[in-house]
Amino acid sequence: MTNQALVVGASGIVGSAVSRLLAKEGWAVAGLARRPNTEAGITPISADLLDPDALASALDGVSPTHIFLTTWARQATEAENIRVNALMIRNVLEAVRASGSVRHVALVTGLKHYLGPFEAYGKGTLPQTPFREEQGRLDVENFYYAQEDEVFAAAVRDGFSWSVHRPHTITGVAVGNAMNMATTLAVYASICRQTGRPFRFPGSEVQWNSLTDMTDSAQLAKQMRWASTTPAAANQAFNIVNGDVFRWKWMWSRIAEWFGIEAAPFEGPAPLEQQMSGDAPVWAEMAKQFELAEADINQLISPWHTDADLGRPIEVVTDMSKSRKLGFLEYQSSDDAFYEVFAKLRASKLIP
């Protein structure tokens, strides 16, 4: 029997990577999003996850064996994040329940499981690094926990297995994505090259000097596929990073070199939300000059999220021993992951 995948959030950084991987490996793939991509081998389904009737109608006749939940919607407060993002998960799982076909559900969350939500990000008493899966939930409200609870409850009710995947900052390509460090840095570096502005690291001294890691979207997609088809991985949560570690003072120079500019010396935090606050007209002019595909800078960058990640006051390193011991041995060097994103952005005329 052919595996039937329903990828929720298929137009995002993670969802598009999962969809492409599964289609390449011969799965039947349905890609669900508000505005799904049109891509060979993937059946697009358009629906609003907060409209249960429209969602049920869109998924009528879809009988997935595996569901990959790769989406979320940013809200003004954590209470609203919890309400909205839990509801989206609940609506999807309810919409396909009648099919009785689901064997596994894979949910993407992230290291905010250990660091806390945006409202309390990196504050209070935090677990020691490297973060390990057996470290429990923080005593704080967190929409990741609410999403997990929806999956856990449905798994008990409907008899499918589950996996939770906790990436660090994700690299990949997706226009309009709410958390998009690699594209944000590519746009910032392009503007610095065009205007002669210094290419300044936006984050904290701790992040500049400490070890850290990242997660490429293709690496995450491989782990999700592995966990969804490996019996020993059923009903477990896994950290997922590339497998290497680096310091930003090294990576910043590597990124600068790719763009043919100099990395400015670190002289203290320089948040991108401030640095790039007036760059919309600069980018619009660059888009005209270089015939770029997207003239609206806000469709490409997420400086608030990049600032949050790079401004953390603590070291962030992730342990992957759990999945390694079970046989997941994929590896991706983080500098090459950045370069691959930059090359794709350039080939797609999203950066000059």
Side-chain angles (χ1 to χ4, degrees):
M1 176 182 176
T2 301
N3 288 325
Q4 311 276 332
L6 173 63
V7 181
V8 182
S11 62
I13 289 177
V14 178
S16 58
V18 172
S19 298
R20 284 192 295 268
L21 174 66
L22 298 178
K24 182 179 179 181
E25 294 187 349
W27 291 48
V29 181
L32 174 62
R34 189 188 292 267
R35 291 178 293 275
N37 298 329
T38 301
E39 199 162 340
I42 300 167
T43 302
I45 300 176
S46 175
D48 182 350
L49 302 186
L50 293 174
D51 185 338
D53 293 335
L55 183 59
S57 177
L59 293 176
D60 185 37
V62 178
S63 300
T65 56
H66 298 72
I67 299 177
F68 299 85
L69 299 168
T70 72
T71 191
W72 75 291
R74 187 189 182 198
Q75 305 300 311
T77 66
E78 192 59 21
E80 273 299 286
N81 275 332
I82 290 169
R83 184 187 70 81
V84 169
N85 288 284
L87 183 59
M88 291 195 303
I89 300 295
R90 191 182 318 141
N91 287 345
V92 169
L93 297 180
E94 185 62 34
V96 299
R97 186 182 182 193
S99 71
S101 60
V102 180
R103 301 201 301 263
H104 187 90
V105 172
L107 169 68
V108 178
T109 61
L111 295 195
K112 286 187 289 297
H113 180 93
Y114 309 108
L115 289 162
F118 291 117
E119 290 180 1
Y121 198 51
K123 300 175 183 176
T125 303
L126 298 171
Q128 290 188 345
T129 57
F131 296 134
R132 302 178 188 276
E133 294 94 341
E134 61 266 24
Q135 294 167 196
R137 294 179 175 184
L138 300 175
D139 187 20
V140 61
E141 295 296 308
N142 189 325
F143 82 87
Y144 283 171
Y145 306 160
Q147 288 181 310
E148 286 182 342
D149 288 342
E150 292 293 338
V151 172
F152 298 162
V156 172
R157 180 191 69 200
D158 298 334
F160 56 75
S161 62
W162 55 265
S163 57
V164 174
H165 304 265
R166 299 173 186 159
H168 197 171
T169 303
I170 300 170
T171 54
V173 176
V175 175
N177 197 272
M179 297 191 294
N180 202 342
M181 179 189 285
T183 301
T184 299
L185 294 181
V187 170
Y188 173 55
S190 298
I191 290 173
C192 289
R193 185 180 62 188
Q194 178 76 0
T195 63
R197 281 161 38 185
F199 185 57
R200 297 185 60 192
F201 181 70
S204 68
E205 185 174 5
V206 171
Q207 289 302 304
W208 180 251
N209 289 314
S210 297
L211 290 172
T212 192
D213 46 31
M214 294 193 76
T215 306
D216 185 66
S217 58
Q219 175 82 338
L220 172 54
K222 290 173 184 177
Q223 194 197 56
M224 294 180 76
R225 184 255 289 135
W226 165 81
S228 71
T229 56
T230 301
N235 303 328
Q236 298 193 56
F238 298 103
N239 292 334
I240 173 63
V241 287
N242 290 333
D244 62 351
V245 294
F246 62 88
R247 302 181 200 276
W248 271 107
K249 62 182 177 183
W250 174 80
M251 184 67 80
W252 200 247
S253 294
R254 300 282 283 174
I255 292 173
E257 182 180 350
W258 196 93
F259 284 93
I261 57 179
E262 293 291 328
F266 182 75
E267 297 176 346
L272 290 180
E273 276 202 298
Q274 297 173 20
Q275 289 196 62
M276 304 184 75
S277 61
D279 282 342
V282 176
W283 188 256
E285 185 60 33
M286 289 175 62
K288 183 179 179 180
Q289 178 181 345
F290 295 105
E291 300 181 337
L292 301 181
E294 181 55 70
D296 182 357
I297 195 172
N298 293 313
Q299 290 298 306
L300 299 172
I301 66 172
S302 53
W304 67 274
H305 178 258
T306 300
D307 287 342
D309 270 12
L310 298 183
R312 290 178 297 211
I314 60 170
E315 172 191 77
V316 179
V317 181
T318 316
D319 180 75
M320 273 189 62
S321 297
K322 187 176 182 181
S323 59
R324 296 290 194 226
K325 290 177 180 177
L326 292 174
F328 181 76
L329 304 177
E330 298 287 346
Y331 170 85
Q332 168 68 57
S333 65
S334 294
D335 52 344
D336 284 345
F338 270 117
Y339 301 159
E340 288 172 16
V341 170
F342 300 156
K344 289 176 182 176
L345 292 172
R346 185 165 284 172
S348 300
K349 298 290 287 183
L350 290 169
I351 61 172

